[in-house]
C-alpha cells in the first residue's frame, strides 16, 4: 500500500508553512516565574523565589570567554552563517561581539557596529514606544476605540470596540493574516492607508478576551501613530526615537537608505546554501527594522533606564514604567503582556522582552528590569535545526550568571484526575480560521498526554535532548516542568472549552472539537487520497487480471462511461492535493508567494477542488448503480462504496478547512 499521502502534506506544513507563521512573529520565549500582581489560588501555591542579595558580578572577561565557547558551537552545529550577541548592564555596554560571516561568499565577518541584522517583530517595540509617547502627550487614549483615530471603519461584530490597549496585548480578536506580509520588491510595499483596509482580518474573538498574536494589529498601531502625530510613520520614528537615541544605523525604511545598504548582512536558510534576497515587509510597523547590535544596545539601555539614554529622554520615567507593567494575562500564574513587551521572567528575576523572525533572520531581546541587564542576540540564518538556538544561549547565560533552583512543591492529591481532565488535542488561538490557509493549523496542533507518574507532556515542548518534558501539577491545573522552569496551565472559558496557557502570553491553545481534531482530519484525508490513488493503480491491474483469467464483465455502456468519469474525478482530487502542497511548499523558499501573484494559481486550484467536491454526487450514484449491476464482482461493489465514502469525506475535509472558498483574502 502506498505511503500515507498526508505525511507529505504534514511535512510541508510543519517545515514550510510554519516559516510564514513564524515570519514577523516572536521567538521561543520562556515562562514567567514572577508572582501575579493580585493573589490567586494557583499562584499562591507557588513558592516565592529566595530573595536575591543583589545582582551577581558579570565580569566582561568571563562573559567573553563564555560566549566565545557557545556562539561558534551554535554556528557550526546549526549551519548558521553569522550572529551577534550584545549584553548591557547599568547603562553601559558590557559585551558586544559578532561571530561568523555576514556574507559567506566573500567571507565578510559580522561586525557589531557595521553589520545590519533584521530584527523582525522586535520592531514592534519601537511602534509601541511611539504609541506611548503620544499617550504621554495626551494625544492618544489607550482605551479609546481606534476607529476614532483612523479613516476607515473596523467592524465590531461582538459589540465591543478595538482599543490600542487591545493591540498592545494582542487581544483585538482577529484571525491570522498571511497574505502580503512579505513581498518580493518595494513596488509591492504600499502605504499603510491602502494596505490596512485591504487586509482587514475577520474578528473571531471578543476584543480583550483571547490573546492571539496579530501582525495586523501592530501595523494598525503604526498607522494610528501616523494619523495622530501627523507625520509619516518612518519619519516619526526617525525624529522621535532613533535620532534622540543616536541610533544612526537603524531604520524601518525599505529599501534601505543608500548609506546603510552596504552594511546589510545577507540572509540564509543555511550557511551552506546560497544567500537569499532581501525581505520586504509590507506590514512594516510590525517588523521591518534593520539594525546593528551596537544600536540595539542603545535601545535596551533606554528602556532599562526608564526612557533615557546618554542624556536623551524618549519617555518620562512614569510612562516607561507603565509601559513595562503587566497589562493583560490569560493566566495569573503564567507570563502576561505588558504594553507591547511581554513578560518572560526566569531564574527568579523580573524579565520582559520580545523576539522576532523574518524568514531568514531570528532575534531575541531580553530586559532584566530590576537587574538593569539587557541581552540581545540575532542570527542571519534559519539553520538546520540541529544546533541550540537563541533561547538556549539566553538560558545558558542566565544559569551561569544568575543561577536559580525552583523550590520543590508537594504533590497535588488530584494530580491524576486533573491530568486526565486536561488531556486532549489543542489548537492555537493564533490561527487563520476562515480562510484558504486555515489548514495550516493541522501541523501545529498539540496533544496533551498523561504519563505514568500522573504528570503530563505537551507535544512540541521538549528538552534539549529532544525528549518530551514532564510537567507536574503544582496547583490546581497549573503545571511546572520536572526539574525545570517551563510552565503550562489550564482553565475553562465561558463557552465551556478547555484552554491551555503556555510560555507564550500572546496566545493560548484551545481544546479542538472533533471536527477540527487534526488526527481525525488527517486520517479522513489520508484514507480518501489512498482510495483515489489505489483506484487509479487498480485500473491497469484489473485489466491484466481480466486478460489473464479471460473474464470480461458484462457491463452496459452507461456504467463503463461512469468508470471513466470516476477515474477523472480521482485525478482531479489528487491534482488538487498536489497543487495545494506545491503552493505551501513554495512558501518555504519564498514567503512572497503569499501574495496577489499567486491568485491565478489559487483560482485554478479552487476550480479543480470544486470539480472534485461535486464529484461526490457522481461517486454516490456510481456506487448505488454498481450494486444494481449483475456483471460486477462483489469486491468491486464494496470498493465503489468505499470510494464514494472517500469522495464525500474529502469534500467534507475541503469544506471544513475552507479550501473551496472563493475568497482570495487570507
Amino acid at each position: 500500500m502506498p505511503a500515507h499521502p498526508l505525511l507529505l502534506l504534514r511535512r510541508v506544513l510543519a517545515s514550510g508553512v510554519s516559516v510564514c507563521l513564524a515570519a514577523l512573529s516572536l521567538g521561543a520565549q520562556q515562562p514567567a516565574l514572577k508572582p501575579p500582581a493580585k493573589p490567586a489560588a494557583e499562584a499562591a501555591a507557588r513558592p516565592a523565589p529566595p530573595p536575591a542579595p543583589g545582582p551577581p558580578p558579570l565580569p566582561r572577561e568571563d562573559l567573553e570567554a563564555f560566549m566565545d565557547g557557545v556562539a561558534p558551537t551554535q554556528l557550526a552545529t546549526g549551519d548558521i552563517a553569522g550572529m551577534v550577541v550584545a549584553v548591557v548592564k547599568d547603562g553601559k555596554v558590557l559585551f558586544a561581539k559578532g561571530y561568523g560571516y555576514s556574507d559567506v561568499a566573500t567571507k565578510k565577518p559580522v561586525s557589531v557596529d557595521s553589520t545590519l541584522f533584521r530584527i523582525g517583530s522586535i520592531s514592534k517595540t519601537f511602534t509601541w514606544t511611539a504609541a506611548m509617547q503620544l499617550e504621554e502627550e495626551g494625544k492618544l487614549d489607550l482605551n479609546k476605540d481606534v476607529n476614532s483615530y483612523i479613516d476607515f471603519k473596523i467592524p465590531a461584530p461582538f459589540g465591543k470596540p478595538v482599543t490600542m490597549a487591545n493591540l498592545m496585548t494582542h487581544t483585538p480578536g482577529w484571525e491570522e493574516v498571511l497574505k502580503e506580509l512579505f513581498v518580493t520588491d518595494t513596488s509591492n510595499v504600499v502605504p499603510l492607508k491602502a494596505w490596512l483596509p485591504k487586509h482587514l482580518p475577520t474578528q473571531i474573538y471578543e476584543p480583550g478576551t483571547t490573546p492571539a498574536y496579530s501582525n495586523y494589529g501592530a501595523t494598525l498601531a503604526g498607522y494610528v501613530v501616523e494619523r495622530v502625530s501627523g507625520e509619516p510613520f518612518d519619519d516619526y520614528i526617525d525624529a522621535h526615537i532613533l535620532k534622540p537615541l543616536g541610533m544612526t544605523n537603524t531604520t524601518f525604511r525599505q529599501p534601505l537608505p543608500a548609506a546603510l545598504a552596504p552594511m546589510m548582512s545577507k540572509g540564509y536558510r543555511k550557511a551552506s546554501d546560497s544567500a537569499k534576497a532581501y525581505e520586504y515587509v509590507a506590514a512594516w510597523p510590525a517588523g521591518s527594522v534593520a539594525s546593528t547590535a551596537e544600536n540595539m544596545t542603545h535601545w535596551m539601555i533606554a528602556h532599562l533606564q526608564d526612557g533615557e539614554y546618554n542624556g536623551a529622554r524618549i519617555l518620562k520615567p512614569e510612562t516607561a514604567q507603565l509601559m513595562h507593567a503587566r497589562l493583560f494575562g490569560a493566566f495569573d500564574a503564567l507570563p502576561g503582556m505588558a504594553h507591547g513587551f511581554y513578560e518572560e521572567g526566569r531564574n527568579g528575576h523580573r524579565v520582559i522582552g520580545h523576539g522576532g523572525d523574518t524568514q531568514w533572520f531570528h532575534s531575541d531581546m531580553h530586559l532584566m528590569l530590576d537587574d538593569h541587564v539587557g541581552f540581545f542576540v540575532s542570527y542571519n540564518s534559519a539553520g538546520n535545526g540541529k544546533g541550540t538556538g537563541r533561547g538556549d544561549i539566553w538560558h545558558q547565560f542566565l544559569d551561569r550568571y544568575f543561577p536559580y533552583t525552583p523550590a520543590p512543591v508537594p504533590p497535588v492529591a488530584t494530580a491524576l484526575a486533573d491530568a486526565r481532565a486536561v488531556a486532549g488535542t489543542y489548537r492555537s488561538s493564533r490561527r487563520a480560521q476562515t480562510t484558504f490557509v486555515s489548514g495550516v493549523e493541522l501541523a501545529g496542533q498539540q496533544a496533551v498526554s498523561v504519563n505514568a507518574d500522573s504528570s503530563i507532556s505537551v507535544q512540541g515542548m521538549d528538552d534539549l535532548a529532544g525528549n518530551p518534558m514532564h510537567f507536574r501539577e503544582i496547583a490546581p491545573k497549573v503545571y511546572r516542568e520536572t526539574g525545570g522552569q517551563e510552565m503550562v496551565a489550564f482553565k475553562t472559558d465561558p463557552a465551556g472549552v478547555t484552554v491551555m496557557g503556555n510560555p507564550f502570553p500572546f496566545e493560548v491553545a484551545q481544546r479542538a472539537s472533533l471536527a477540527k481534531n487534526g488526527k481525525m482530519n488527517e486520517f479522513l484525508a489520508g484514507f480518501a487520497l489512498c482510495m483515489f490513488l489505489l483506484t487509479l493503480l487498480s485500473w491497469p491491474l484489473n485489466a491484466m487480471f481480466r486478460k489473464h483469467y479471460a473474464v470480461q464483465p458484462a457491463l452496459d455502456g452507461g456504467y463503463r462511461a461512469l468508470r471513466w468519469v470516476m477515474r477523472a474525478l480521482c485525478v482531479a482530487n489528487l491534482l488538487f492535493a498536489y497543487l495545494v502542497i506545491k503552493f505551501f511548499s513554495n512558501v518555504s523558499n519564498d514567503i512572497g508567494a503569499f501574495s496577489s501573484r499567486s491568485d491565478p494559481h489559487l483560482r485554478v486550484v479552487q476550480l479543480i477542488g470544486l470539480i472534485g467536491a461535486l464529484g461526490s454526487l457522481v461517486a454516490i450514484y456510481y456506487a448505488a448503480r454498481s450494486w444494481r449491476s449483475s456483471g460486477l464482482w462483489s469486491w468491486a461493489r464494496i470498493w465503489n462504496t468505499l470510494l464514494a465514502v472517500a469522495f464525500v469525506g474529502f469534500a467534507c475535509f475541503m469544506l471544513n478547512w475552507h479550501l473551496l472558498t472563493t475568497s482570495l483574502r487570507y
Side-chain angles (χ1 to χ4, degrees):
M1 194 170 193
H4 196 310
L6 255 289
L7 286 177
L8 177 58
L9 177 59
R10 189 170 182 83
R11 292 191 189 107
V12 169
L13 290 173
S15 63
V17 177
S18 61
V19 172
C20 53
L21 281 177
L24 290 179
S25 89
L26 297 97
Q29 302 301 320
Q30 302 306 316
L33 294 179
K34 173 188 172 186
K38 297 180 180 179
E42 55 188 307
R46 298 168 53 233
L58 247 176
R60 188 195 189 286
E61 296 76 15
D62 185 81
L63 179 57
E64 182 169 15
F66 169 68
M67 289 298 175
D68 284 352
V70 175
T73 300
Q74 286 198 330
L75 298 185
T77 307
D79 197 4
I80 296 168
M83 64 184 287
V84 286
V85 184
V87 179
V88 301
K89 186 177 188 297
D90 296 328
K92 297 179 180 178
V93 178
L94 181 65
F95 170 82
K97 192 169 183 178
Y99 298 89
Y101 300 113
S102 63
D103 188 330
V104 174
T106 63
K107 303 296 183 185
K108 183 179 180 180
V110 169
S111 166
V112 295
D113 55 8
S114 60
T115 302
L116 295 174
F117 278 68
R118 304 299 294 279
I119 65 171
S121 284
I122 300 177
S123 308
K124 291 179 174 69
T125 62
F126 293 82
T127 302
W128 305 132
T129 300
M132 293 302 294
Q133 288 179 329
L134 296 171
E135 188 274 343
E136 179 179 281
E137 295 172 14
K139 297 178 180 179
L140 179 62
D141 184 341
L142 302 184
N143 297 307
K144 190 174 183 179
D145 186 346
V146 293
N147 280 316
S148 303
Y149 303 112
I150 59 178
D151 54 357
F152 66 97
K153 182 71 173 178
I154 294 177
F158 292 89
K160 189 175 180 181
V162 172
T163 67
M164 180 62 75
N166 296 147
L167 302 183
M168 287 180 156
T169 55
H170 295 286
T171 58
W174 290 319
E175 68 177 330
E176 183 74 283
V177 172
L178 295 177
K179 190 174 185 179
E180 291 168 339
L181 284 176
F182 285 89
V183 291
T184 53
D185 55 64
T186 53
S187 65
N188 299 121
V189 179
V190 300
L192 298 177
K193 179 182 178 69
W195 189 89
L196 284 162
K198 181 180 178 183
H199 296 85
L200 180 64
T202 299
Q203 196 173 68
I204 58 177
Y205 310 112
E206 179 182 327
T209 62
T210 306
Y213 191 81
S214 177
N215 287 304
Y216 184 91
T219 307
L220 177 61
Y223 188 50
V224 171
V225 168
E226 185 172 287
R227 293 272 300 171
V228 172
S229 68
E231 302 175 51
F233 177 79
D234 291 348
D235 291 348
Y236 181 92
I237 296 294
D238 287 349
H240 298 272
I241 294 179
L242 301 182
K243 185 177 179 180
L245 298 182
M247 298 180 69
T248 56
N249 292 330
T250 302
T251 186
F252 270 92
R253 298 182 186 276
Q254 303 172 109
L256 290 170
L260 298 182
M263 301 167 60
M264 187 66 225
S265 171
K266 302 291 187 184
Y268 300 86
R269 176 182 296 282
K270 295 186 292 186
S272 54
D273 294 340
S274 59
K276 303 298 183 181
Y278 190 80
E279 302 166 281
Y280 294 101
V281 184
W284 72 86
S288 73
V289 166
S291 182
T292 63
E294 189 276 336
N295 268 203
M296 289 303 295
T297 64
H298 300 203
W299 187 236
M300 291 191 291
I301 291 171
H303 273 282
L304 288 167
Q305 296 191 152
D306 289 337
E308 186 270 334
Y309 173 79
N310 199 25
R313 179 163 293 283
I314 59 170
L315 291 173
K316 293 178 181 178
E318 57 270 27
T319 305
Q321 291 163 16
L322 173 65
M323 184 175 185
H324 302 155
R326 183 179 179 116
L327 179 59
F328 174 87
F331 292 82
D332 288 332
L334 296 181
M337 290 298 304
H339 294 66
F341 288 93
Y342 54 83
E343 297 177 333
E344 45 159 336
R346 193 174 177 89
N347 285 35
H349 292 261
R350 181 181 175 223
V351 185
I352 62 172
H354 214 291
D357 303 83
T358 66
Q359 194 162 17
W360 314 125
F361 289 83
H362 305 275
S363 312
D364 265 352
M365 180 179 71
H366 311 277
L367 303 177
M368 303 177 70
L369 296 173
D370 297 332
D371 302 282
H372 306 289
V373 172
F375 183 97
F376 172 77
V377 61
S378 186
Y379 304 82
N380 63 5
S381 314
N384 58 20
K386 296 180 181 178
T388 54
R390 54 193 167 173
D392 297 309
I393 195 172
W394 162 239
H395 295 168
Q396 290 178 60
F397 168 81
L398 283 177
D399 292 343
R400 184 177 183 86
Y401 300 107
F402 301 88
Y404 172 76
T405 301
V409 177
V412 176
T414 58
L416 180 58
D418 287 345
R420 288 172 175 168
V422 301
T425 300
Y426 291 77
R427 55 198 301 232
S428 174
S429 60
R430 181 190 180 185
R431 58 179 182 259
Q433 181 165 296
T434 69
T435 67
F436 178 81
V437 297
S438 64
V440 166
E441 76 163 81
L442 285 171
Q445 290 190 0
Q446 295 176 287
V448 175
S449 56
V450 182
N451 302 312
D453 60 356
S454 299
S455 65
I456 64 171
S457 290
V458 180
Q459 184 180 349
M461 298 187 72
D462 303 328
D463 59 25
L464 289 178
N467 300 313
M469 293 178 181
H470 283 216
F471 292 88
R472 189 168 298 281
E473 191 170 25
I474 62 172
K477 305 218 176 142
V478 178
Y479 296 81
R480 188 175 69 198
E481 175 195 2
T482 302
Q485 299 184 49
E486 305 286 3
M487 293 181 65
V488 294
F490 299 82
K491 67 179 182 181
T492 302
D493 69 12
V497 177
T498 302
V499 177
M500 175 174 64
N502 53 51
F504 309 105
F506 44 80
E507 66 180 5
V508 294
Q510 301 156 325
R511 179 174 282 170
S513 65
L514 181 62
K516 295 296 184 179
N517 183 280
K519 291 188 182 298
M520 191 278 288
N521 277 271
E522 286 180 8
F523 172 81
L524 179 64
F527 164 75
L529 293 175
C530 282
M531 287 296 300
F532 303 149
L533 183 59
L534 290 175
T535 296
L536 294 177
L537 292 177
S538 67
W539 181 10
L541 291 176
N542 285 338
M544 290 167 48
F545 285 140
R546 288 194 298 269
K547 182 177 181 180
H548 178 76
Y549 291 106
V551 174
Q552 187 63 40
L555 301 175
D556 60 73
Y559 184 84
R560 291 180 183 276
L562 272 177
R563 283 205 306 182
W564 281 98
V565 172
M566 288 304 301
R567 290 162 185 164
L569 291 172
C570 286
V571 170
N573 276 333
L574 289 170
L575 180 59
F576 174 82
Y578 167 76
L579 291 175
V580 169
I581 291 172
K582 185 174 184 296
F583 172 70
F584 285 124
S585 65
N586 286 343
V587 177
S588 65
N589 293 313
D590 175 18
I591 201 168
F594 272 167
S595 67
S596 298
R597 65 182 168 89
S598 295
D599 287 355
H601 171 81
L602 289 181
R603 283 299 187 209
V604 172
V605 173
Q606 291 169 344
L607 178 60
I608 295 173
L610 180 61
I611 291 171
L614 293 176
S616 301
L617 301 176
V618 180
I620 293 171
Y621 175 73
Y622 179 64
R625 182 162 180 170
S626 68
W627 284 97
R628 299 197 303 268
S629 178
S630 60
L632 283 177
W633 294 328
S634 295
W635 69 264
R637 298 188 179 98
I638 295 172
W639 184 271
N640 291 344
T641 302
L642 291 175
L643 186 59
V645 171
F647 266 90
V648 173
F650 195 64
C652 290
F653 176 85
M654 290 190 285
L655 290 169
N656 191 30
W657 298 103
H658 304 280
L659 294 173
L660 298 180
T661 179
T662 58
S663 173
L664 292 174
R665 295 179 63 143
Y666 53 87

